[in-house]
Every structure is written in structure tokens, then in C-alpha cells.
Amino acid sequence: MTSAKFRPRDVGPMVLVLAFVFVSIAPLLWMALAAFKPTADIIAIPPVWIPDFTYLQNFQDVLTQFWPFIVNSLIATVGATILALVLAVPTAFALVNHRFRGREALADWILSTRMMPPIAAAVPLFVIFRGAGLLDSLPGLIIAYAGFNLPFAVWMTMSFVRRVPKELIEAARLEGCTWWQVLTGVVLPLSKSGLAAVATFVFIFAWNEFMLALFLTTREAKTFPVVISSFIGTGRVYWEYIAAASVIQCLPPVLFTFFMQKHIVSGVTMGAVKD
Amino acid sequence: MGQIKLENVVKSFGEFDVIRDVSLTINEGEYVVFVGPSGCGKSSLLRLITGLEDVSSGRVWIDGRDVTDVAPSERQLAMVFQSYALFPHLTVADNIGFGLRVSGRPKAEIREKVLTTARALALDPYLDRYPRQLSGGQRQRVAIGRAIVRAPTAFLFDEPLSNLDAALRVQMRLELIRLHDELKTTMIYVTHDQVEAMTMADRIVVLNAGKVEQFDTPIALYDAPANRFVAGFIGSPKMNFIEATAERGRRILTSAGAVEISNLKAPLSPGKVTFGIRPEHLGYDREAGLWKGTILVEEQLGSDAYFTVDVTALGTLTVRAVGERGYRRGDTIFLTPDPARSHLFAEDGRALTAPASNLSNSQQQSAAGSA
């Protein structure tokens, strides 16, 4: 800040910005506060602005009744993240470092599958999964999530693999490395930060995914977002559970991103080749 | 161990031929330099030998074995890259021992070999450091260490010194020559710097537009360039070229008078020719000589002076005057080519002259030294 001087003509934009921030943050704020209120306080008029933060009944109810679905969500998310990376990394490595007929077309085709709206795939996927016995199963969800994220994961990984200097790969090959050893010994350690970023994106997508889970699961493999939506019943809306569950739902991506951030360090490849 | 043979090697990228029908044999233990202007294909040729690029046609042989379809990892070659290509996530010790570890040698052996190599290259105090913590010269040494520790069939260097400053470059050049004397392993060295080529090589491959122009010892390239390209490329400052017309016998006619050529391979037949004379083989005088000119630029190096001389009828010529300090810009100067050291090239570039047989050995030595 070079100048903190107040200028009258800044008032207009400032008010606009504040209004925008308020509109954006209000629902979240409402949700976070409502999570600590009993039902009566949530709908009370005049509103109870500041709840009693020691009131944890909503969280306790949600966790005790619905914890298996949180576990489902976790398994599906972590599974999908791992599967997507396991498939995307060798794919991206091959697409970047091997010259073969149709390489670009293949890369473009992978990207193009991303352009299909998930809803378009939902019905065919349902039919296929029913045939394969994957409906309402966590492996099914993991496959679906990893599949939907693969194009993105491949392309993002490609951009990181491409940053590994070509000479390093050539040097490794001349030193006697097989392609697999080049990947595990040179490319992976040097794209760690990039892979952390890819993992973060896949994790957040899978954790927050709602629509596919709604289509493909019924009881056993139901994920937490689907459970949250079920709190809006025909007879009654369980605002207090929605609020508490939403707070819970928000936590893992925040924690995961925070944890991954430490790994997303720049300058890992410094000193590899000339400055 | 270490004979490398290329047989009618061609490399094309689409329509474009990068390497056009190259055949050459590099002998065991030889220090061969590939030199040429940028884009001549010298790095491509090196990469074809390593297998990092596949040949479009032709065969590559290493020690009598056809390796054309053999993966780079199986060719037992070591390469030092211009950018060093050190693994940034590994320490100096792990970088040097990388190849040994990949091939699954016992840990104790790796440690011992790494230590011996590091000592030889004065790297032992830095074994636990990472490449980013080293200076350019040290990184270069690590790259060399990684190459020599495996005792490969041949070493390949791709412009390894071009990222170093001038003083370090000279020092590393000497170290590489010493290293070759010690190891006696075949070395192929790619550079665009003809001084590096002349000083280091047993033999030099001069490449131009994907073709081998000449493959010979440094002295032979200097004394008897096979064609106009080699004549112009080897030697600094460059050889002077003068367009002329051949008459019959030994005479050629330049726009500034006739010149008798004494070292022709065969009598001339009439036609267009190019007369070539190196700056160090142009005699100069204030009073008399074949061509009269004016000094346009005087470049004084102390040991030598280079004069760019405007000879009205011929254009500008460069003269190298050893230790000369008496001339200034604007002075009149007379130039006379040394008839025994003249070169003549046919219209297609082919050399028509041979090195004069009366050149004594010592003269040849001094010519090499001044190159």
C-alpha cells in the first residue's frame, strides 16, 4: 500500500465490494451459525444472531446417525484420487515423452471426453453399472469419479511432466534406465508438487460430487452430499442437520488443501540444468 | 572397446533431411570432434549414436555390434550435456552413482567407485550437496563424474563447455584432454567452437547441412581443406576468398591482376575459380607488393594485429600480422599472398590445390599453433 489516504470517490466502489462480499458470504455464515442452533432458534423471529457455541447436539446427531456415509465419502474420494493419479501419471508421461502415431489425437480425445456433461453419462453409466454389478458400490463410485477426473488429471499432469527438462530424461535413459525407471526415479520426484496439485483437484471434485452419487447409489454406498440433500424431506426440512452436516462437509477439502499446500513448493527443479 | 561406425546414416524429420547419408568410422580410443555451424546436424548425429533419436535409414555399429535398433540404455554410452542434466533431487554422490544404482550394483561398490571418481575430479568435499548448491564448473564436473564412473564404451559430449565462462572453459578443456589421455576411451565431442575442435581432437568431422565435408586431423583440415566450406570454417580469422578466372596452366586472373599458383594438384582448365588465402599467409609491406590497399580497421590483440584492408578491386581482405604495432587505420599497405600457401577452389567448391610439399614440419606446427 503506497497510500492509505481516504478519497471520497472510493466510497462508491467500496460499498459495492462490501455488498458483494456480504451477499457471497451470508449463506455460509448463516450455515455456520445455524449449525450451533436448535431448530427453534433457526426459524425464530426476530432471529437469534449469535448462537451458543457450546450447543453441539446437531453435530452429535449427524455424526452418530450418518457417520457410515462420511466414511463412504472418504473411501470414494481417496480411492478415486489414487486411481486417477495411478492412471493419469503413466498416461501423461507416455503422451509427453513418447512419439507415436496419433499421439496428439489421443491427447485431444482424452480432453474431449471432459466436454461431455456428467448428466449425459449418468443414464448409460447406470445401465452399465447395473450390468456389471457395480451399482450402489464403492468400487463403482471410485471408478466413476476417477473416470470423470481422468481427462483433467491427465492434462494437468502432462503440463507438469513437460516441465521436467528433456535432458534429464535423456540422461537417465543413457544411464541405463528403463522407461519405468525414468518415470519413478526422475519424473515422479520432480513433479511431486504438480501431482499434489492434481490430487487436490481430484479430491475436491470427488468429495463434493453429488449427482453421480445420487444416480449410482441407493443405500450401501451413499455418500455424504446425498445424505445432506435427504434432510430436505417432503414434510419437513431439517435445517439444523443441513447446517451441521454442511460444516462437516466443508472440512476435509480445506484440511486436504492445507496439508497439500506444503508439498506444492516451487523451485524443486532448480539446479537441474543451467540457470 | 569403443569403435563407432556409421553406415549411410540418414535422419529426416518429415521432408527435411537433417543428416544426409553420413558414413564414418571412429576408431577405438580416438578423440573425435564434430564441428560445424549451428543447424549443421552435429548434435543430431551425436543423438543418433546414442539412440535418443532413431535413424531414418542406415546402420550404427558399436564395437562391431549393430546397435541401430538397440535402446539407448543398452548402448553403454555416457553423455555429458550442455545443460549438465544433473538430477536436482539427488545429491552429488547419488548423481554420480546414478547409473551404477540403476544397473543394480552392490552398495559398497557404488560407494567406493563414487568416492574414487569424486576424488579424481576434486568433488569429494561436495558429495552431500545438491546440484543447486554448486557452481557451474562444479556441476560440469559432476556431469563428467557421472559419465566416467560407469566406465562406458565411449563418452559423448554435447557442447559441454558453452555454459562456462571463458577462463573456466580453457581450464576444463585441458582437463578433458588430460582425462582422455588417462582413460584412453573413445570420446566424441560436439562443438561449434573451432578452437575447441582444433585443440582437443585427434580427428575432426566438419559437418555442413547434414553432410560430412571433411573428416581428418586438425592440421590436415587447416593445411589441406577439401573444399571451400572447410577452408572458410576452420581458421580464425577466416580465410580470404577472391573470385577469379582460371586460365590455362598455373595462372588465374583476379580483378586486381594475375596470380601464379604453385601448389596445384593438376594444371588448370579455364573457368570460374575461388582463390583462398589465410590472413596469416598474406605478406604485407608499406612500399611494395601485389595488391595495394588501405587499412579500414585495425584490431590490436597485443600478440597479433588483424587488419581489415580495403583493396579496391578485390573488396576487403583480412591480414594477420604477428606482433605488428606499426600500422594505423588509414595507412596504405601492400599485400602479397604466399604462393606456397595459397588455396584454389573450383566452382563447385572442391579444392584444386594440395599443401605445398616444401612446407617444413616446423612450419606446419606453427600453422597449427596459430589456428
Side-chain angles (χ1 to χ4, degrees):
Chain A
M1 294 290 273
T2 47
S3 156
K5 225 166 86 181
F6 175 79
R7 286 178 304 184
R9 63 178 172 155
D10 288 342
V11 172
M14 241 188 256
V15 168
L16 258 171
V17 167
L18 280 176
F20 182 77
V21 168
F22 179 77
V23 169
S24 310
I25 212 169
L28 284 172
L29 209 59
W30 181 88
M31 174 193 90
L33 295 176
F36 295 94
K37 294 177 195 171
T39 322
D41 282 4
I42 293 174
I43 52 171
I45 294 176
V48 180
W49 294 106
I50 306 298
D52 170 13
F53 287 108
T54 57
Y55 177 80
L56 298 173
Q57 191 61 44
N58 298 337
F59 289 102
Q60 202 185 334
D61 287 354
V62 169
L63 285 174
T64 49
Q65 289 177 60
F66 302 105
W67 65 267
F69 303 108
I70 298 178
V71 173
N72 279 352
S73 265
L74 276 175
I75 293 173
T77 301
V78 172
T81 306
I82 292 171
L83 182 62
L85 281 184
V86 163
L87 294 176
V89 168
T91 309
F93 178 68
L95 284 172
V96 170
N97 287 303
H98 281 265
R99 251 180 266 149
F100 53 88
R101 195 183 292 274
R103 168 172 76 156
E104 315 238 306
L106 182 60
D108 289 345
W109 172 74
I110 289 174
L111 184 67
S112 76
T113 60
R114 177 80 182 171
M115 297 168 192
M116 174 183 61
I119 187 74
V123 172
L125 212 52
F126 180 86
V127 175
I128 294 169
F129 273 28
R130 191 176 55 189
L134 286 170
L135 271 187
D136 199 21
S137 75
L138 284 173
L141 267 191
I142 289 172
I143 290 169
Y145 287 175
F148 272 98
N149 275 287
L150 213 46
F152 166 77
V154 166
W155 270 74
M156 197 164 161
T157 309
M158 272 168 74
S159 77
F160 290 109
V161 170
R162 224 178 260 127
R163 281 190 215 166
V164 176
K166 218 173 122 235
E167 289 97 332
L168 289 186
I169 292 169
E170 292 178 344
R173 288 177 67 202
L174 283 172
E175 290 290 305
C177 281
T178 59
W179 279 112
W180 181 250
Q181 285 170 318
V182 173
L183 174 61
T184 54
V186 177
V187 174
L188 276 188
L190 293 181
S191 359
K192 256 194 297 193
S193 58
L195 295 185
V198 178
T200 307
F201 274 94
V202 178
F203 185 97
I204 292 173
F205 169 93
W207 178 259
N208 290 335
E209 206 288 326
F210 169 72
M211 199 200 65
L212 285 172
L214 189 67
F215 266 84
L216 301 175
T217 64
T218 42
R219 290 180 55 84
E220 295 300 318
K222 201 149 74 168
T223 59
F224 204 51
V226 179
V227 171
I228 297 178
S229 75
S230 70
F231 291 146
I232 303 173
T234 37
R236 192 193 149 187
V237 177
Y238 294 85
W239 289 115
E240 69 281 15
Y241 288 172
I242 291 175
S246 298
V247 169
I248 295 169
Q249 171 73 17
C250 283
L251 285 179
V254 172
L255 292 176
F256 188 78
T257 310
F258 185 76
F259 172 73
M260 278 303 186
Q261 213 172 19
K262 287 192 290 189
H263 294 267
I264 305 175
V265 192
S266 61
V268 193
T269 56
M270 232 182 77
V273 295
K274 61 174 171 165
D275 308 292
Chain B
M1 289 283 279
Q3 191 212 49
I4 294 170
K5 201 169 102 189
L6 303 179
E7 207 179 281
N8 303 109
V9 165
V10 175
K11 175 68 183 175
S12 321
F13 288 112
E15 296 283 287
F16 183 62
D17 289 345
V18 191
I19 297 294
R20 300 195 237 168
D21 195 18
V22 167
S23 295
L24 49 88
T25 305
I26 292 161
N27 298 322
E28 186 181 324
E30 211 173 6
Y31 199 139
V32 169
V33 173
F34 292 175
V35 72
S38 54
C40 71
K42 52 191 189 295
S43 286
S44 302
L45 199 56
L46 195 73
R47 294 169 63 81
L48 292 175
I49 294 172
T50 60
L52 291 172
E53 298 283 354
D54 296 325
V55 298
S56 302
S57 71
R59 315 302 301 173
V60 180
W61 302 76
I62 298 176
D63 284 330
R65 174 176 164 229
D66 185 348
V67 296
T68 315
D69 302 314
V70 172
S73 54
E74 309 282 315
R75 293 196 189 189
Q76 303 293 323
L77 301 171
M79 181 147 155
V80 176
F81 292 79
Q82 179 179 357
S83 59
Y84 320 137
L86 300 180
F87 303 116
H89 59 298
L90 300 178
T91 60
V92 168
D94 287 342
N95 263 288
I96 296 177
F98 187 86
L100 296 173
R101 220 173 35 251
V102 167
S103 59
R105 302 282 186 81
K107 273 191 181 147
E109 184 197 326
I110 297 175
R111 203 177 312 124
E112 191 201 309
K113 282 192 173 168
V114 166
L115 202 61
T116 319
T117 308
R119 282 213 188 100
L121 293 164
L123 284 170
D124 40 328
Y126 311 111
L127 282 174
D128 294 326
R129 295 218 191 155
Y130 286 90
R132 61 178 174 274
Q133 298 164 315
L134 300 178
S135 70
Q138 288 165 340
R139 288 180 201 175
Q140 186 59 270
R141 267 176 233 277
V142 176
I144 292 170
R146 186 174 66 187
I148 63 179
V149 76
R150 283 188 304 135
T153 313
F155 294 110
L156 312 175
F157 296 93
D158 190 2
E159 308 221 9
L161 306 186
S162 30
N163 284 333
L164 302 178
D165 62 53
L168 204 52
R169 200 150 58 214
V170 173
Q171 187 198 331
M172 288 300 290
R173 208 159 77 199
L174 295 177
E175 279 189 40
L176 284 175
I177 296 171
R178 190 181 53 86
L179 195 69
H180 180 247
D181 287 344
E182 252 169 52
L183 299 171
K184 299 190 171 28
T185 309
T186 310
M187 292 193 179
I188 304 177
Y189 188 104
V190 166
T191 182
H192 62 270
D193 180 347
Q194 54 148 314
V195 177
E196 276 179 20
M198 293 295 281
T199 52
M200 297 169 104
D202 292 330
R203 284 197 295 164
I204 296 175
V205 178
V206 181
L207 284 157
N208 181 35
K211 281 204 324 268
V212 175
E213 297 281 356
Q214 196 170 356
F215 181 22
D216 217 328
T217 62
I219 296 298
L221 293 183
Y222 179 86
D223 284 344
N227 53 48
R228 190 182 154 159
F229 177 82
V230 176
F233 191 77
I234 299 289
S236 174
K238 272 185 185 323
M239 186 185 278
N240 296 296
F241 291 111
I242 298 164
E243 300 308 321
T245 319
E247 301 189 318
R248 291 207 177 273
R250 301 178 160 282
R251 269 166 68 91
I252 59 159
L253 202 60
T254 70
S255 39
V259 180
E260 287 276 335
I261 310 290
S262 62
N263 53 347
L264 284 170
K265 287 181 194 164
L268 294 168
S269 44
K272 279 188 179 165
V273 288
T274 307
F275 175 77
I277 184 77
R278 295 198 184 277
E280 51 272 41
H281 301 147
L282 264 177
Y284 58 95
D285 193 80
R286 281 191 193 279
E287 322 278 72
L290 189 60
W291 299 320
K292 184 187 174 187
T294 313
I295 296 179
L296 285 181
V297 181
E298 176 214 7
E299 292 168 278
Q300 188 54 261
L301 303 180
S303 58
D304 298 318
Y306 301 149
F307 304 136
T308 306
V309 178
D310 180 29
V311 178
T312 321
L314 300 175
T316 57
L317 300 179
T318 310
V319 181
R320 175 177 187 169
V322 178
E324 181 59 65
R325 309 204 166 171
Y327 289 80
R328 292 286 167 272
R329 192 151 62 91
D331 287 2
T332 297
I333 190 168
F334 286 91
L335 306 177
T336 311
D338 177 349
R341 287 179 171 276
S342 299
H343 300 264
L344 200 63
F345 304 98
E347 209 178 353
D348 61 5
R350 207 163 29 89
L352 300 170
T353 39
S357 50
N358 61 357
L359 280 186
S360 73
N361 217 19
S362 68
Q363 265 177 305
Q364 291 204 357
Q365 290 293 335
S366 73
S370 60

